[in-house]
Amino acid sequence: MKHYQDQFTHIHLPDKQFQPDYIYNDPNFELDSSLNCVERLLDIHIKEGRGNSVAMRTFNETWTYQDLYEKSNQIAHVLVDDLGLVSGNRVLIRSANNPMFVACWFAILKVGGIVVATMPLLREKELETIVDCAEISHAFCDVQLEEALSLVKSPYLKSVSTFDGSNETNSVLEVLMASKPTEFSNFPTFAEAVSIIGFTSGTTGLPKMTAHFHKDILLICEAFPKYALQPKVDDIFTGSPPLGFTFGLGGLVLFPFYYGASTFLIEKPSPEILLQAIQDFKITICFTAPTAWRMITQKVNDFDISSLRKCVSAGENLPLKVWEDWYKATGLKIIDGIGATELLHIFISSNEDNMKPGATGLPIYGYEAKIVDNNGNEVSNNEIGKLAVRGITGCKYLNRIEKQVEYVQNNWNLTGDIFKKDEDGYFWFIARGDDMIISSGYNIAAIEVESVLLTHDEILECAVVGIPDENRGMLVCANIVLKNPASANEDLAKSIQDWFKQVAAPYKYPRVIKFHDALPKTETGKIQRFKLK
């Protein structure tokens, strides 16, 4: 076992006293103190003679486990030999869901690096914040997404290596890989060494960095999939969440590989494309958000989805009507779940045997949950309160002790969600406890949208709220006061929306704009958002 040469994550981890209690109440959760999670997810398939089994497919290509193993090893050599990476360095991945993304992900962990995977929609300013917060030294970037990253100015970022995720041309990384050996000795790291950093939007200030250990990556593979999916080697997973979301990483990479199954990756997964993939490639397990399940239901009769056996929904609350419409159309029960970037993946869910339609479900294998009041005391059944969770994973914010003590209280993780628990122990979602807007599965912090809008030349002040929407769960609604109120009209609203999409991630743009002469405020000048909702 070796400690990382670059001690950034070790220095910035919260002390154990500020972390939640961890519950490992099963032999399957007992892991060696020395492990690199790559060995259990990828290398094991080569050692045990399954190298020729399919690991990943797209509409255009197929990679076996052997292909993935060799390419990951070659990228690992590039990182060490050509790019000067030392263990503990953070490496950003900017790419849509494709096989090269996954090969880079494994390569970074093989060399003892730490993965920071990002979503393709992020723009220059958001990427720059991530690079600076995590002091990222290296980046791998799909050539199709190179432009925004090329504009990032940071003293930390030393190297950006491009690759072609569509596999049509050789970019910088492919050229460097070509001459490298296909074997690599993995960095012998600790089970409690940081493997990935997931960024999560905050309602105030900088985004938060959630750290996850090598052992955490393997522990979640023993939890939700066993509880809800019962994966088999001939399962084919697919879905829409980006691999930059831990929901997508688990569902589309970790779970299939842990069980020796395969994954089908889609760069731009519209409902029609998802259904086409399920039909043509006989997909058996699909992960997506409630908004997508609603849209897929309307088109499902045009496709043969008879291969599908498990449907998973997370990212936002699953409305009962979406569940019922899908069940009527297909006879399949959508498995709802709630997870958090802080806990890595889903911790309350159902399986087909214990499902109560409309409820999020029960704490899954590996976790326990309760509803508490503002003082941390457990409340009675059917009383509304804050969701508290603990189990095999928990919140570890880097360098944000003030946020750590907000999230972890009395040794439990407080997720920021408002729930109730019924007399049968089922948990029912009520609302988000802060001003986070969850729209089509994306977490959008109101304050982030406001900070962008306030840079527009014509906007004097604004307040952003989430408003209910049948299709997307919530819509981002911007309440705007203009410098010249007389110029308010639909054309200006459209122009502000178009401008926003150019300067920030398009999924954050305000789909509703309301112009006001003034915003409601308290005597101290604080905007009263509740009046705008």
Side-chain angles (χ1 to χ4, degrees), residues 105-116:
W105 192 90
F106 279 114
I108 294 162
L109 296 185
K110 277 177 167 283
V111 302
I114 295 167
V115 177
V116 183

Side-chain angles (χ1 to χ4, degrees), residues 211-231:
H212 300 289
F213 295 150
H214 276 264
K215 73 174 186 180
D216 297 336
I217 298 284
L218 300 183
L219 287 171
I220 64 163
C221 297
E222 282 286 341
F224 176 74
K226 271 194 176 174
Y227 172 84
L229 306 178
Q230 299 79 50

Side-chain angles (χ1 to χ4, degrees), residues 8 12 90 128-136 156 199 206-207 209 399-400:
F8 174 87
H12 292 307
R90 278 73 58 214
E128 200 163 275
T129 300
I130 287 171
V131 168
D132 286 344
C133 283
E135 298 184 12
I136 289 168
Y156 302 107
F199 273 78
L206 293 169
M209 297 184 277
N399 206 16
R400 297 294 293 279

Side-chain angles (χ1 to χ4, degrees), residues 290 292-301 305 308-313 318-336 351-353 355-358:
W293 285 119
R294 183 198 306 276
M295 294 165 73
I296 288 170
T297 304
Q298 294 163 14
K299 303 172 188 294
V300 70
N301 291 332
I305 63 152
L308 198 60
R309 68 181 193 87
K310 300 283 181 181
C311 310
V312 182
S313 176
L318 177 70
L320 179 59
K321 185 166 188 337
V322 175
W323 191 96
E324 288 172 340
D325 289 350
W326 177 256
Y327 184 64
K328 279 182 201 153
T330 66
L332 292 164
K333 298 176 179 178
I334 298 176
I335 297 164
D336 191 16
N351 55 42
E352 286 167 348
D353 298 329
M355 198 174 285
K356 190 183 273 197

Side-chain angles (χ1 to χ4, degrees), residues 49-115:
R50 295 187 295 276
N52 290 331
S53 299
V54 172
M56 298 184 285
R57 290 184 183 86
T58 69
F59 285 108
N60 303 315
E61 53 182 332
T62 300
W63 287 33
T64 62
Y65 278 106
Q66 188 73 36
D67 294 330
L68 177 57
Y69 174 77
E70 291 182 359
K71 287 188 191 328
S72 298
N73 286 338
Q74 288 177 309
I75 298 168
H77 279 289
V78 171
L79 278 165
V80 175
D81 305 345
D82 301 317
L83 304 179
L85 180 133
V86 301
S87 60
N89 282 169
R90 278 73 58 214
V91 186
L92 182 141
I93 305 177
R94 176 164 169 75
S95 173
N97 292 3
N98 58 46
M100 275 298 286
F101 183 127
V102 180
C104 289
W105 192 90
F106 279 114
I108 294 162
L109 296 185
K110 277 177 167 283
V111 302
I114 295 167
V115 177

